[in-house]
Amino acid sequence: MRNSGRANNELRKIEIIPNYLEDSEGSCLISFGKTKVLCAATVENKTPFFLKGTGQGWISAEYSLLPCSTQPRTEREAIKGKQTGRTHEIQRLIGRSLRASTDLTILGERQIKIDCDVIQADGGTRTASVCGACVALGLAVKKLKLRHNPFQHLVAAVSCGKVNGEIVTDLDYSEDSQAEVDANFVMIDTGDLVEVQATGENGVFDVDQLAKMISYAREGAGRIFQMQKNILLR
Amino acid sequence: MRNSGRANNELRKIEIIPNYLEDSEGSCLISFGKTKVLCAATVENKTPFFLKGTGQGWISAEYSLLPCSTQPRTEREAIKGKQTGRTHEIQRLIGRSLRASTDLTILGERQIKIDCDVIQADGGTRTASVCGACVALGLAVKKLKLRHNPFQHLVAAVSCGKVNGEIVTDLDYSEDSQAEVDANFVMIDTGDLVEVQATGENGVFDVDQLAKMISYAREGAGRIFQMQKNILLR
Amino acid sequence: MRNSGRANNELRKIEIIPNYLEDSEGSCLISFGKTKVLCAATVENKTPFFLKGTGQGWISAEYSLLPCSTQPRTEREAIKGKQTGRTHEIQRLIGRSLRASTDLTILGERQIKIDCDVIQADGGTRTASVCGACVALGLAVKKLKLRHNPFQHLVAAVSCGKVNGEIVTDLDYSEDSQAEVDANFVMIDTGDLVEVQATGENGVFDVDQLAKMISYAREGAGRIFQMQKNILLR
Amino acid sequence: MRNSGRANNELRKIEIIPNYLEDSEGSCLISFGKTKVLCAATVENKTPFFLKGTGQGWISAEYSLLPCSTQPRTEREAIKGKQTGRTHEIQRLIGRSLRASTDLTILGERQIKIDCDVIQADGGTRTASVCGACVALGLAVKKLKLRHNPFQHLVAAVSCGKVNGEIVTDLDYSEDSQAEVDANFVMIDTGDLVEVQATGENGVFDVDQLAKMISYAREGAGRIFQMQKNILLR
Amino acid sequence: MRNSGRANNELRKIEIIPNYLEDSEGSCLISFGKTKVLCAATVENKTPFFLKGTGQGWISAEYSLLPCSTQPRTEREAIKGKQTGRTHEIQRLIGRSLRASTDLTILGERQIKIDCDVIQADGGTRTASVCGACVALGLAVKKLKLRHNPFQHLVAAVSCGKVNGEIVTDLDYSEDSQAEVDANFVMIDTGDLVEVQATGENGVFDVDQLAKMISYAREGAGRIFQMQKNILLR
Amino acid sequence: MRNSGRANNELRKIEIIPNYLEDSEGSCLISFGKTKVLCAATVENKTPFFLKGTGQGWISAEYSLLPCSTQPRTEREAIKGKQTGRTHEIQRLIGRSLRASTDLTILGERQIKIDCDVIQADGGTRTASVCGACVALGLAVKKLKLRHNPFQHLVAAVSCGKVNGEIVTDLDYSEDSQAEVDANFVMIDTGDLVEVQATGENGVFDVDQLAKMISYAREGAGRIFQMQKNILLR
């Protein structure tokens, strides 16, 4: 039995407040239980230099923990003078995930940057970031009113893990910190996978366990796609 | 007449949500109109090295704009690898202001750091930060349950300026960006001044104009002290 | 048919020269086709600060591309003043993989750092690094002559991908740069998985394709375990 | 009675050696008692990027303490790799003050940078910097021989403070380090204020005390304007 | 008698493997005894900005120790975030030496960068770097197939020193670390000197001792020129 | 004939103002013609970590160009965030030179740091720095009043060069910037050499030319030793 009383395949309460920032091109505040992430999109009318002249756009992400989002407090990266390896890894993951949602050629020579700033962290900040970033991106693309819609798929991410030998989904911090295996799955609304990251820091896993995690993740993603659709198709 | 319809000596709508972060030692989300700042206190049981052995504590602050708090977006300082001069200036101001509220000898060899993270910026982020940081600090000091109370004064800050030749208070961004003179006043609940910063970037000012600004600031601070008291004396 | 004439499940020619550095505690030069990585272990008799007093050791890795290992040349990170996100991600992966090979409690309060410096890069540098680092680590642990052996498993990594719709293994640079899906699998010599990273930068993948990649990776890892055993059991 | 024997409203001995650097466009060595600052102007024939195309110029300042200007020695910022918050704050203050002296539209698309390097520090380095920078700027603008003179006002800065309950002016280090209130006033030769910065680090102040400080500062500034005039009108 | 059994004027065994990197424009692995340096040239079709429009090219070098090239291990400069003073000094020396080999006007507006990465360090890494860099440069220039040959001289460097009062050449690490005087001589194949660096860290030297070092260095350089010629004139 | 009218072996006018800084442990302002360097010593009562427990002290130097010491202005290293290669090279040279003057074992576990800040640069700043640093060091050591005197030799540095084929000494900037060969010689008052650095950036040199430069340098050093003696033996 999980501490929280949740079933193994049960997500935490998810809430998405769209357009949380009054002047942003697309934003939302997403929460998974106590985890809260503010996601906001910025559109620039030029593509990064490595795509100049290709007619293609780009989508990237930046991620940060507010210092007091964690207990104990996390030191501010602007003071350390550089982003940690963990931050780099997460923002690269979010960026790759979002690019799977969008036809970059239809987007044209634009760059969309999604900021994911964690207000409160209780596990699953990277998966919440992907889910919220998809909403912020969708809202921003909508405002562009392009002739053809470059936003082609919803993207959702769900974390799973092995805790005390059990496969569970959407781990909170207390579960995450004692998990044998920690995994994140990103998928699009066709059910296809975009990214699988499974890591056994304190243990290993076999193919069956991987399959069970994928199945839980799919189930959770289904719920999230529904919430995203409700916001973006309004 | 101000764009917002406010009288020259009228503050924007202020709201303070205490304990906004569930696990922080003291926090609040403060808003002045559209400006929103998340303030959170962290207590460490050691004083900085320059005070070691003096029996005295320290209070300092860190300030940051979330990238999407402004339009256009502000580049993330963690990516630039350093904090700007403006950030340094503001966090030094907040720290000095808070130290005026507290008897550092009664506090003892502890350090309290207040994070002020701007969620949405529409002018007056530094004064909102001081007002909110005072609440976060007060809540955190209360939880320490020290024998003698080191928290001795409420601290509030109010911005004033000269816009089109008129002295006005609590400028929003549209006023701030065209002000001839820009000023910030920090005071404690006895009415005494802790900090005066008045700058004529696009103009100068005389002693009478300074006096009028101080009088507006005092009036505004009175309202803020009341709100702080309602929270901290509960 | 692959450009190189290899079968879909066929690795490139692998070579491991153990003790390549004359004075290092454990080193090897590993090559997968034209990809060459120099791996070397350094043992320090203290554990990192976050493990002090736990009786437990630590294993971490550093990774770098020599500037001329790639075409076009890669800028030197020491001149840019920081490591890229890609470097951070890879060295974190190598570290996690190696920690799965070793009982850190038996290792005791020691830290082993493995340097993986890429001499020539032709795809698969991170998987080659894991395979070579395992050899460098094994050689270094052997020299420690501890009463109980902390080195409990061989670790190997194999890359797979989807190229022109086909699942293939051990991609060289020409394949990697046009792959729809790019994946890396790390496993120990029991066949259990330690890490799965599968990314669809230019496409998506389904569960069956993931299963096929895992099966190719296992087959390849088997060959690598044999080579590692030949060196470490000598 | 002040340690130095000075009256409360008495400045230290001030000396200004114009054109101290033989090849600089405008320079001086200014001293207030033992405090010595080398000020030098550099004119660039382009305005910063944020003013390009506006026809307007810009004036900014850089400030630094030579390591041995203080006792104990101050660490070199070039070695720490960044400027401190205090440095940022001071150079922003100097820049703002100088811009009040000059009509930036008449200056045209030029940038003038004033370096203020403190050779010996005994309190009041920022106010001495403003006074000396005004001379360096005036000399440099003169050499430009523009049709209309953009240099419209002399600028001077004077420090005041509350020491042992007394309002005094031009504090040396021994006074500054024990002051209850520390203030800096910048004004132009019409008597109008450009900048007021008053800080109660170890105490507070009321409106009357502020007024007294302003009056002392004005008196001191009068003397400095005279010295600047003697040099610039020669 | 030297530890190694070498005569005072005797170099270590030198080996040069040309074209060590398969895809580089010009490369070699050079060894002086246990010291091994990988040298590789990269040609860019533009000159640095300070030569733009002069018709002249440039040659520069970068130098680095692989962390495990030394015992004890050297910290990675990319992690420290900057290159050490020693690294700067060596890469400037290599660059200056190489520019003496080449007519930069005939080279035209091209920049050639030579990377010298030390695989194993046992003294004399900077002199080995110069000798190997000359080969890498020569190979790269040859491939350019310019109408007139800009590569006009071979360049070689030899280290000498005073160890236990004796003048010796090509010091290994055990000699270098106890030398009273440490010197490096760079010359071209006419016998003329390009660079003399002689340093008495633990002692001084007179003109006769300097002359003896120069004579040993010339003798050694003669042997190296022969090896370079064999490779470059093939 | 030299532009300045000086004979080939003639130094510029040298002036040394000892104790230029009123509160420093040892300082001087040294000028060679228009080149002016402020040298100041700081004594710390602990040796650097790599000498802890050896009973031995250390002497090191820091060097910097004030931005306006050169024409055109040099960018401030504190703003670039790092010291240039040239700065590193020069401060290492000064440090090595000074260590030749002092018996570090007699000095005991102390560290003396010499700051050399160039106020005005007209060629020869590194040689002027060595000469002035020797005076600052000598004054500071004297104040330590140790039982045995660790300061055993005067140290002087003289620059020489080949300009239009002529060997000349103490080059000013106009000569330096067109020199074929540029050399710096450091020696102690016995006439022995501590450091020889000769570089042919735009040409080469033979052994006879090197000998002539050494002889000029010795002659110049003799004059400087006399001036240093006059100050330090007072």
Side-chain angles (χ1 to χ4, degrees):
Chain A
M1 184 61 160
R2 299 170 79 175
N3 279 340
S4 57
R6 284 191 279 149
N8 287 353
N9 64 344
E10 189 182 343
L11 301 181
R12 289 175 285 181
K13 179 158 181 279
I14 301 174
E15 211 174 344
I16 306 177
I17 306 176
N19 299 311
Y20 184 81
L21 296 177
E22 300 179 44
D23 301 322
S24 167
E25 282 144 312
S27 71
C28 72
L29 182 70
I30 190 166
S31 54
F32 276 64
K34 283 163 72 176
T35 290
K36 281 186 193 181
V37 186
L38 178 53
C39 303
T42 304
V43 181
E44 283 177 40
N45 280 317
K46 58 169 191 200
T47 203
F49 76 97
F50 62 87
L51 288 175
K52 217 161 267 176
T54 63
Q56 207 184 312
W58 193 246
I59 300 171
S60 64
E62 296 186 8
Y63 168 95
S64 180
L65 292 168
L66 286 202
C68 284
S69 65
T70 60
Q71 286 296 332
R73 179 180 183 273
T74 296
E75 203 194 337
R76 202 174 281 274
E77 291 181 324
I79 283 183
K80 288 190 292 187
K82 58 178 177 181
Q83 298 184 302
T84 63
R86 179 182 173 275
T87 293
H88 279 296
E89 203 169 303
I90 293 176
Q91 54 200 12
R92 283 159 57 89
L93 167 68
I94 303 171
R96 284 194 306 265
S97 301
L98 295 175
R99 290 192 292 274
S101 69
T102 303
D103 184 319
L104 298 172
T105 307
I106 300 182
L107 181 61
E109 295 212 356
R110 283 177 186 85
Q111 172 161 26
I112 305 185
K113 191 172 280 175
I114 315 285
D115 287 290
C116 298
D117 287 276
V118 179
I119 304 291
Q120 195 164 264
D122 186 34
T125 62
R126 86 185 67 189
T127 44
S129 293
V130 169
C131 298
C134 171
V135 171
L137 174 63
L139 292 168
V141 166
K142 226 163 148 181
K143 280 206 196 135
L144 285 177
K145 291 184 205 254
L146 301 176
R147 189 122 70 113
H148 299 285
N149 186 7
F151 188 74
Q152 310 210 312
H153 293 290
L154 297 169
V155 175
V158 176
S159 76
C160 293
K162 190 164 106 185
V163 181
N164 298 324
E166 290 281 299
I167 300 299
V168 297
T169 193
D170 192 21
L171 291 69
D172 62 24
Y173 179 72
S174 71
E175 290 174 316
D176 197 44
S177 58
Q178 53 163 321
E180 292 102 56
V181 177
D182 187 21
N184 294 290
F185 301 91
V186 185
M187 59 198 81
I188 56 175
D189 50 10
T190 61
D192 280 312
L193 292 158
V194 176
E195 184 102 17
V196 172
Q197 288 190 341
T199 296
E201 178 79 59
N202 306 301
V204 292
F205 53 102
D206 60 27
V207 174
D208 290 346
Q209 290 167 332
L210 182 62
K212 190 164 193 180
M213 291 193 279
I214 293 179
S215 123
Y216 281 7
R218 266 181 156 159
E219 192 184 331
R223 251 192 74 201
I224 298 164
F225 290 137
Q226 200 49 56
M227 296 183 72
Q228 293 174 330
K229 226 172 284 178
N230 290 344
I231 290 165
L232 292 172
L233 298 186
R234 257 193 299 221
Chain B
M1 186 56 161
R2 299 169 79 174
N3 279 340
S4 57
R6 285 190 279 149
N8 286 353
N9 64 344
E10 189 182 342
L11 303 181
R12 289 175 286 180
K13 178 155 180 282
I14 301 173
E15 210 174 344
I16 306 177
I17 307 176
N19 300 311
Y20 184 80
L21 295 177
E22 302 180 43
D23 301 321
S24 168
E25 281 144 312
S27 71
C28 72
L29 182 70
I30 191 166
S31 53
F32 275 65
K34 281 164 73 176
T35 291
K36 279 187 194 180
V37 186
L38 177 53
C39 303
T42 304
V43 181
E44 283 177 40
N45 280 317
K46 58 171 192 196
T47 203
F49 75 97
F50 62 88
L51 287 175
K52 216 161 267 176
T54 63
Q56 208 183 310
W58 193 245
I59 299 171
S60 63
E62 296 185 7
Y63 168 95
S64 180
L65 291 168
L66 286 202
C68 284
S69 65
T70 60
Q71 285 297 330
R73 180 181 182 273
T74 297
E75 202 194 338
R76 202 174 281 273
E77 291 180 324
I79 282 183
K80 289 191 290 187
K82 59 178 178 181
Q83 298 184 302
T84 63
R86 180 182 174 276
T87 293
H88 279 296
E89 202 168 304
I90 294 176
Q91 53 200 15
R92 283 159 57 91
L93 167 66
I94 303 171
R96 283 195 307 265
S97 302
L98 294 176
R99 289 192 292 273
S101 69
T102 302
D103 184 319
L104 297 173
T105 306
I106 298 182
L107 181 60
E109 296 210 356
R110 285 177 184 81
Q111 172 160 26
I112 305 185
K113 191 171 280 173
I114 314 285
D115 288 289
C116 298
D117 286 277
V118 178
I119 303 290
Q120 196 164 261
D122 185 35
T125 63
R126 84 185 70 188
T127 44
S129 292
V130 169
C131 299
C134 170
V135 171
L137 174 64
L139 291 170
V141 166
K142 226 165 149 181
K143 278 206 197 137
L144 284 178
K145 292 185 206 255
L146 301 175
R147 191 123 70 111
H148 299 284
N149 186 6
F151 189 74
Q152 309 211 314
H153 293 290
L154 295 169
V155 175
V158 177
S159 75
C160 292
K162 192 164 104 183
V163 181
N164 299 324
E166 288 282 299
I167 300 299
V168 296
T169 193
D170 192 22
L171 291 69
D172 63 22
Y173 179 74
S174 71
E175 291 173 316
D176 196 45
S177 57
Q178 53 161 322
E180 293 101 58
V181 177
D182 186 22
N184 295 291
F185 301 92
V186 185
M187 58 199 80
I188 56 174
D189 48 12
T190 60
D192 280 312
L193 292 157
V194 176
E195 184 102 17
V196 172
Q197 289 190 340
T199 295
E201 179 79 60
N202 306 303
V204 293
F205 53 100
D206 60 28
V207 174
D208 291 345
Q209 290 167 330
L210 182 62
K212 190 165 193 180
M213 290 194 277
I214 292 179
S215 123
Y216 281 6
R218 266 181 157 159
E219 193 184 332
R223 249 193 75 201
I224 297 164
F225 290 137
Q226 201 49 58
M227 296 183 72
Q228 292 174 329
K229 226 172 284 177
N230 289 345
I231 289 166
L232 291 172
L233 298 185
R234 256 194 298 221
Chain C
M1 185 57 160
R2 300 169 77 174
N3 280 340
S4 57
R6 283 191 280 149
N8 286 355
N9 64 344
E10 189 181 344
L11 302 180
R12 290 175 285 181
K13 179 157 180 284
I14 301 173
E15 210 174 344
I16 307 176
I17 307 176
N19 299 312
Y20 184 80
L21 296 177
E22 301 179 43
D23 301 321
S24 167
E25 281 145 312
S27 71
C28 72
L29 182 69
I30 190 166
S31 53
F32 276 64
K34 281 163 74 175
T35 290
K36 280 187 194 181
V37 185
L38 178 53
C39 303
T42 303
V43 181
E44 284 178 38
N45 280 315
K46 58 170 191 199
T47 203
F49 76 97
F50 61 89
L51 288 175
K52 217 162 267 176
T54 62
Q56 208 184 312
W58 193 245
I59 300 171
S60 64
E62 296 186 5
Y63 168 95
S64 180
L65 291 168
L66 286 202
C68 283
S69 65
T70 60
Q71 286 298 329
R73 180 180 182 274
T74 296
E75 203 195 336
R76 201 173 282 273
E77 291 181 323
I79 283 182
K80 288 191 293 189
K82 59 178 177 180
Q83 298 184 304
T84 63
R86 180 183 174 276
T87 293
H88 278 296
E89 202 169 304
I90 293 176
Q91 53 199 15
R92 283 160 56 91
L93 167 67
I94 303 172
R96 283 194 308 265
S97 301
L98 294 176
R99 289 193 292 276
S101 69
T102 302
D103 184 318
L104 298 172
T105 306
I106 298 183
L107 181 60
E109 295 210 356
R110 285 177 184 83
Q111 173 160 27
I112 304 184
K113 192 172 279 173
I114 315 285
D115 288 289
C116 298
D117 286 277
V118 179
I119 303 290
Q120 196 164 264
D122 185 34
T125 63
R126 84 185 68 189
T127 43
S129 292
V130 169
C131 298
C134 171
V135 171
L137 174 63
L139 291 169
V141 167
K142 224 166 150 180
K143 277 206 196 138
L144 284 177
K145 292 184 206 256
L146 301 176
R147 191 123 68 113
H148 299 284
N149 186 6
F151 188 75
Q152 309 210 311
H153 293 291
L154 297 168
V155 175
V158 176
S159 75
C160 293
K162 191 164 106 185
V163 181
N164 299 324
E166 289 282 299
I167 300 299
V168 297
T169 194
D170 192 21
L171 291 69
D172 62 24
Y173 179 72
S174 71
E175 290 174 317
D176 197 44
S177 58
Q178 53 162 322
E180 293 102 57
V181 177
D182 186 21
N184 294 290
F185 301 92
V186 185
M187 59 198 81
I188 55 174
D189 49 11
T190 60
D192 279 312
L193 292 157
V194 176
E195 184 102 18
V196 172
Q197 288 190 341
T199 296
E201 179 79 60
N202 306 303
V204 293
F205 53 102
D206 60 28
V207 174
D208 291 345
Q209 290 167 332
L210 182 62
K212 190 165 193 181
M213 290 193 278
I214 293 178
S215 123
Y216 281 6
R218 266 181 157 159
E219 191 184 334
R223 248 192 75 200
I224 298 164
F225 290 137
Q226 200 51 57
M227 296 183 73
Q228 292 174 328
K229 226 173 283 178
N230 289 345
I231 290 165
L232 292 172
L233 298 186
R234 255 194 300 220
Chain D
M1 186 58 160
R2 299 170 78 175
N3 279 341
S4 57
R6 285 190 279 148
N8 286 353
N9 64 344
E10 189 182 343
L11 301 180
R12 288 174 287 179
K13 178 156 183 279
I14 301 174
E15 211 175 344
I16 306 177
I17 307 175
N19 299 312
Y20 183 81
L21 295 177
E22 301 177 45
D23 301 322
S24 167
E25 281 144 312
S27 71
C28 72
L29 182 70
I30 190 166
S31 54
F32 275 64
K34 282 162 73 176
T35 291
K36 281 186 191 180
V37 186
L38 178 54
C39 302
T42 303
V43 181
E44 283 178 41
N45 280 318
K46 58 169 190 200
T47 203
F49 76 98
F50 61 87
L51 289 174
K52 217 160 267 175
T54 63
Q56 207 184 312
W58 192 245
I59 300 171
S60 64
E62 295 186 8
Y63 168 94
S64 180
L65 292 167
L66 286 203
C68 283
S69 66
T70 60
Q71 286 295 331
R73 181 181 182 271
T74 296
E75 203 194 336
R76 201 174 282 274
E77 291 180 325
I79 283 183
K80 287 191 291 190
K82 59 178 178 182
Q83 298 184 302
T84 64
R86 179 182 174 274
T87 293
H88 279 295
E89 201 168 303
I90 293 176
Q91 55 198 13
R92 283 159 56 90
L93 167 67
I94 303 172
R96 284 195 306 267
S97 301
L98 295 175
R99 289 192 293 272
S101 69
T102 303
D103 185 319
L104 298 173
T105 306
I106 300 183
L107 181 61
E109 295 211 355
R110 284 177 185 82
Q111 173 161 25
I112 305 185
K113 191 172 280 173
I114 315 285
D115 287 289
C116 298
D117 286 278
V118 178
I119 304 291
Q120 195 164 263
D122 186 35
T125 63
R126 87 185 66 189
T127 44
S129 293
V130 169
C131 299
C134 170
V135 172
L137 174 64
L139 291 169
V141 167
K142 227 164 148 179
K143 279 206 196 137
L144 284 178
K145 294 182 203 258
L146 300 176
R147 190 122 71 112
H148 299 284
N149 187 6
F151 189 74
Q152 310 209 313
H153 293 291
L154 296 169
V155 175
V158 176
S159 76
C160 292
K162 191 163 103 184
V163 180
N164 299 323
E166 290 281 298
I167 301 299
V168 297
T169 193
D170 191 21
L171 290 69
D172 62 24
Y173 179 73
S174 71
E175 291 174 316
D176 196 44
S177 57
Q178 53 162 320
E180 291 100 58
V181 176
D182 186 23
N184 294 290
F185 301 92
V186 184
M187 58 198 80
I188 56 173
D189 49 11
T190 61
D192 279 312
L193 292 157
V194 176
E195 182 103 18
V196 171
Q197 287 190 340
T199 296
E201 178 80 58
N202 306 301
V204 292
F205 53 101
D206 60 27
V207 174
D208 291 346
Q209 290 167 333
L210 182 62
K212 190 164 194 182
M213 291 193 280
I214 292 179
S215 123
Y216 281 7
R218 265 181 157 160
E219 192 184 332
R223 251 191 74 200
I224 297 164
F225 290 137
Q226 201 49 58
M227 296 183 72
Q228 292 174 330
K229 226 173 283 177
N230 290 345
I231 290 165
L232 292 172
L233 299 185
R234 256 193 298 221
Chain E
M1 184 58 161
R2 298 170 78 174
N3 279 340
S4 57
R6 284 190 279 148
N8 286 353
N9 64 343
E10 188 181 343
L11 302 181
R12 288 175 286 181
K13 178 157 182 279
I14 301 173
E15 210 174 345
I16 306 177
I17 307 176
N19 299 313
Y20 184 80
L21 296 177
E22 300 178 45
D23 301 322
S24 167
E25 282 144 312
S27 71
C28 72
L29 182 70
I30 190 167
S31 53
F32 276 64
K34 282 162 72 176
T35 290
K36 281 187 194 182
V37 186
L38 178 54
C39 303
T42 303
V43 181
E44 284 177 39
N45 279 318
K46 58 172 190 197
T47 202
F49 76 97
F50 61 88
L51 288 175
K52 216 162 267 176
T54 62
Q56 208 184 311
W58 193 246
I59 300 171
S60 64
E62 295 186 7
Y63 168 94
S64 180
L65 292 168
L66 286 203
C68 284
S69 66
T70 60
Q71 286 297 329
R73 180 180 182 272
T74 296
E75 203 194 337
R76 203 174 281 272
E77 291 180 324
I79 283 183
K80 288 190 292 188
K82 58 178 178 180
Q83 298 184 302
T84 63
R86 179 182 174 275
T87 293
H88 278 296
E89 202 169 304
I90 293 176
Q91 54 199 14
R92 283 159 56 91
L93 167 67
I94 303 171
R96 284 194 307 266
S97 301
L98 294 176
R99 290 192 292 274
S101 68
T102 303
D103 184 318
L104 298 172
T105 307
I106 299 182
L107 181 61
E109 295 212 356
R110 284 176 186 84
Q111 173 161 26
I112 305 185
K113 191 171 280 174
I114 315 285
D115 287 290
C116 298
D117 285 277
V118 178
I119 304 291
Q120 194 163 265
D122 186 35
T125 62
R126 86 185 67 189
T127 44
S129 293
V130 170
C131 299
C134 170
V135 171
L137 174 63
L139 292 169
V141 167
K142 227 164 147 180
K143 280 207 194 135
L144 286 176
K145 291 184 206 258
L146 302 174
R147 190 122 69 114
H148 299 284
N149 186 7
F151 189 74
Q152 309 208 313
H153 293 290
L154 296 169
V155 175
V158 176
S159 75
C160 294
K162 191 164 105 186
V163 181
N164 298 325
E166 291 281 298
I167 301 299
V168 296
T169 194
D170 192 22
L171 290 70
D172 63 24
Y173 179 74
S174 70
E175 290 174 318
D176 197 44
S177 58
Q178 53 163 322
E180 291 101 57
V181 177
D182 186 23
N184 295 291
F185 302 91
V186 185
M187 58 198 80
I188 55 174
D189 50 10
T190 61
D192 278 312
L193 291 157
V194 176
E195 183 102 18
V196 172
Q197 288 189 341
T199 295
E201 178 79 60
N202 305 301
V204 292
F205 53 101
D206 60 27
V207 174
D208 290 346
Q209 289 166 332
L210 182 62
K212 190 164 192 181
M213 291 193 278
I214 293 179
S215 122
Y216 281 7
R218 265 181 156 158
E219 192 185 332
R223 248 191 76 200
I224 298 165
F225 290 138
Q226 200 50 57
M227 296 182 72
Q228 292 174 329
K229 226 173 284 178
N230 290 345
I231 290 165
L232 292 171
L233 298 186
R234 256 193 299 221
Chain F
M1 185 56 160
R2 300 168 78 174
N3 279 341
S4 57
R6 284 190 280 148
N8 286 354
N9 64 343
E10 190 183 342
L11 302 181
R12 289 174 285 180
K13 179 158 180 280
I14 301 173
E15 210 174 345
I16 306 176
I17 307 176
N19 299 311
Y20 184 80
L21 295 177
E22 301 178 44
D23 300 322
S24 167
E25 281 144 311
S27 71
C28 71
L29 182 70
I30 190 165
S31 53
F32 276 64
K34 281 163 73 176
T35 290
K36 280 186 194 182
V37 186
L38 177 54
C39 303
T42 303
V43 181
E44 282 178 40
N45 279 316
K46 58 169 192 199
T47 204
F49 76 96
F50 62 88
L51 288 175
K52 217 161 266 176
T54 62
Q56 208 183 310
W58 193 245
I59 300 171
S60 63
E62 296 186 6
Y63 167 96
S64 180
L65 291 168
L66 287 201
C68 283
S69 65
T70 60
Q71 285 299 330
R73 180 180 182 275
T74 296
E75 202 195 337
R76 202 174 282 272
E77 291 180 323
I79 282 183
K80 288 190 293 188
K82 58 178 179 180
Q83 299 184 302
T84 63
R86 180 182 174 277
T87 293
H88 278 296
E89 201 168 306
I90 293 177
Q91 53 199 15
R92 284 160 55 91
L93 167 67
I94 303 171
R96 282 195 308 266
S97 301
L98 295 176
R99 289 193 292 274
S101 69
T102 302
D103 184 318
L104 298 172
T105 306
I106 298 182
L107 181 60
E109 294 211 356
R110 284 177 184 83
Q111 172 160 26
I112 304 185
K113 192 172 279 175
I114 315 285
D115 287 289
C116 298
D117 286 277
V118 178
I119 304 290
Q120 194 163 263
D122 185 33
T125 63
R126 84 186 68 189
T127 44
S129 292
V130 169
C131 298
C134 171
V135 171
L137 174 63
L139 291 169
V141 166
K142 226 165 149 179
K143 278 205 197 139
L144 284 178
K145 291 183 206 259
L146 300 176
R147 190 123 69 113
H148 299 284
N149 186 6
F151 190 73
Q152 310 211 313
H153 292 290
L154 296 168
V155 175
V158 177
S159 76
C160 293
K162 191 164 104 184
V163 181
N164 299 324
E166 288 282 299
I167 300 299
V168 297
T169 194
D170 192 21
L171 291 68
D172 62 24
Y173 179 73
S174 71
E175 291 174 316
D176 197 44
S177 58
Q178 53 162 322
E180 293 102 57
V181 176
D182 187 22
N184 294 290
F185 301 92
V186 184
M187 59 198 81
I188 55 173
D189 49 12
T190 60
D192 280 313
L193 292 157
V194 176
E195 184 102 17
V196 171
Q197 288 190 341
T199 295
E201 179 80 60
N202 306 302
V204 292
F205 53 102
D206 60 27
V207 174
D208 290 346
Q209 290 167 331
L210 182 63
K212 191 166 193 178
M213 290 193 278
I214 292 179
S215 122
Y216 281 7
R218 266 181 157 160
E219 192 184 333
R223 249 192 76 201
I224 298 164
F225 289 136
Q226 199 50 57
M227 296 183 73
Q228 292 174 329
K229 226 173 285 180
N230 289 345
I231 290 164
L232 292 172
L233 298 186
R234 256 194 298 219

